[in-house]
């Protein structure tokens, strides 16, 4: 990979030097000096863009840990550098200012349309960091997706899915990856933040004529030792929540 990068850089340098030689050290192309100037400037832009892309790509490889984020960031950087290079070509080859402004407008509109999902994910990631609607370890629901937050990346959020095959709070073993843009247009239900307990039901079916009082006593006898250890904390949280919201 490094050999190919060095070879490409060498070829671009040779082309730049050859074009500069034709422009400034020979008299064969005096009539086309403007063309050679534009060509030389374009080659310099290509070389600069190639070097910047290589440097930023190597920096991302060293600094970003996950393969998906590395791929996305490198793609984004490559696209942005390409767009800037094309904008520079417009400035080099198009002389009329009005035409250049129109070209920039069309180019900007195309970028906004082509990268709208990516830009929305970036904006969503920034919103998650600044507003902190949830954090790693929280149990959240987004639409029909319920799970525990495993990781909050630059572009997406990973959930460990629960409740897909039934009403129990068991993990299904599947990972849900949501683009961060969901914070812009979907409600987020956080089951963990601010209050540690949520309302849940366990339905026990009894036939007609059953002794429901005896069933109630049996259930309370079984559950009381388990629930008893959570009661003080639940009451404390309830009082604190009522105080904070009053």
């Amino acid at each position: 990979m490094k050999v190919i990068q060095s070879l490409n850089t060498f070829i671009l340098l040779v082309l730049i030097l050859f074009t500069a030689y034709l422009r400034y050290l020979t008299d064969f192309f005096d009539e086309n000096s403007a063309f050679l100037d534009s060509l030389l400037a374009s080659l310099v832009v290509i070389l600069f863009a190639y070097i910047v892309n290589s440097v930023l790509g190597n920096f991302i490889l060293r600094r970003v840990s996950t393969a998906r984020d590395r791929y996305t960031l490198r793609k984004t950087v490559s696209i942005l550098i390409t767009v800037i290079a094309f904008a520079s070509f417009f400035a080099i080859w198009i002389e009329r200012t009005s035409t250049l402004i129109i070209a920039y407008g069309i180019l900007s509109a195309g970028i906004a349309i082509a990268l709208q999902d990516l830009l929305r994910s970036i904006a969503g990631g920034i919103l998650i960091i600044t507003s902190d609607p949830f954090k790693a370890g929280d149990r959240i629901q987004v639409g029909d997706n319920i799970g525990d937050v495993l990781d909050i990346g630059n572009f997406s959020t990973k959930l460990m899915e629960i409740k897909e095959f039934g009403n129990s709070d068991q993990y299904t073993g599947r990972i849900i990856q949501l683009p961060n843009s969901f914070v812009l247009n979907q409600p987020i239900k956080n089951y963990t933040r601010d209050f540690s307990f949520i309302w849940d039901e366990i339905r026990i079916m009894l036939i007609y004529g059953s002794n429901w009082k005896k069933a109630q006593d049996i259930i309370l006898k079984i559950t009381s030792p388990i629930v008893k250890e959570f009661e003080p904390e639940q009451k404390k949280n309830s009082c604190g929540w009522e105080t904070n919201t009053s």
Side-chain angles (χ1 to χ4, degrees):
M1 186 67 180
K2 292 183 178 180
V3 175
I4 295 175
Q5 291 178 350
S6 301
L7 181 60
N8 291 336
T9 304
F10 176 75
I11 292 173
L12 286 171
L13 283 173
V14 170
L15 290 175
I16 290 172
L17 292 175
F18 180 70
T19 305
Y21 170 77
L22 294 177
R23 172 65 179 87
Y24 298 108
L25 301 178
T26 65
D27 299 330
F28 298 108
F29 297 96
D30 287 342
E31 297 180 356
N32 296 317
S33 59
F35 172 78
L36 288 177
D37 288 338
S38 298
L39 179 61
L40 181 61
S42 298
L43 290 173
V44 171
V45 168
I46 294 173
L47 177 62
F48 181 74
Y50 185 78
I51 293 174
V52 171
N53 186 52
S54 300
V55 171
L56 291 179
N58 292 330
F59 178 80
I60 291 170
L61 285 175
R62 291 194 302 268
R63 295 291 182 176
V64 181
S65 57
T66 60
R68 182 181 180 86
D69 286 346
R70 281 201 303 267
Y71 173 81
T72 306
L73 280 175
R74 292 186 69 184
K75 271 291 184 184
T76 304
V77 168
S78 179
I79 291 172
L80 290 177
I81 291 175
T82 302
V83 168
I84 294 172
F86 272 108
S88 302
F89 293 155
F90 279 121
I92 291 170
W93 292 97
I94 299 177
E95 297 180 357
R96 295 179 59 185
T97 305
S98 59
T99 306
L100 186 61
I101 293 174
I102 294 172
Y104 280 155
I106 295 173
L107 187 63
S108 301
I111 295 170
I113 294 173
L115 299 179
Q116 59 178 331
D117 292 336
L118 180 62
L119 294 175
R120 284 169 59 85
S121 294
I122 293 174
I126 295 173
L127 185 61
I128 291 173
I129 294 172
T130 55
S131 63
D132 194 27
F134 56 84
K135 63 180 184 296
D138 287 356
R139 177 162 296 182
I140 65 172
Q141 178 176 353
V142 180
D144 295 331
N145 300 307
I146 307 176
D148 294 341
V149 179
L150 297 178
D151 179 62
I152 303 172
N154 297 319
F155 305 98
S156 61
T157 298
K158 292 181 181 179
L159 304 180
M160 175 63 79
E161 184 186 49
I162 64 170
K163 287 189 175 181
E164 174 66 17
F165 305 112
N167 293 324
S168 61
D169 294 339
Q170 298 294 321
Y171 292 126
T172 64
R174 299 188 302 198
I175 304 296
I176 304 174
Q177 188 145 348
L178 301 173
N180 287 336
S181 57
F182 71 85
V183 300
L184 302 175
N185 54 17
Q186 293 196 49
I188 302 170
K189 298 179 181 179
N190 194 320
Y191 292 85
T192 309
R193 182 64 58 88
D194 296 332
F195 192 65
S196 302
F197 299 91
I198 62 172
W199 184 277
D200 205 350
E201 290 185 355
I202 299 176
R203 295 187 178 185
I204 299 175
M205 307 300 295
L206 300 176
I207 63 173
Y208 288 104
S210 298
N211 189 343
W212 62 270
K213 290 186 177 180
K214 184 177 180 180
Q216 175 179 302
D217 293 337
I218 294 173
I219 294 170
L220 291 176
K221 184 178 179 180
I222 295 172
T223 58
S224 290
I226 301 173
V227 176
K228 188 175 181 180
E229 60 180 296
F230 297 103
E231 287 182 356
E233 184 179 355
Q234 192 273 340
K235 292 178 180 178
K236 180 181 178 181
N237 288 347
S238 297
C239 293
W241 181 79
E242 292 172 358
T243 303
N244 291 333
T245 55
S246 61

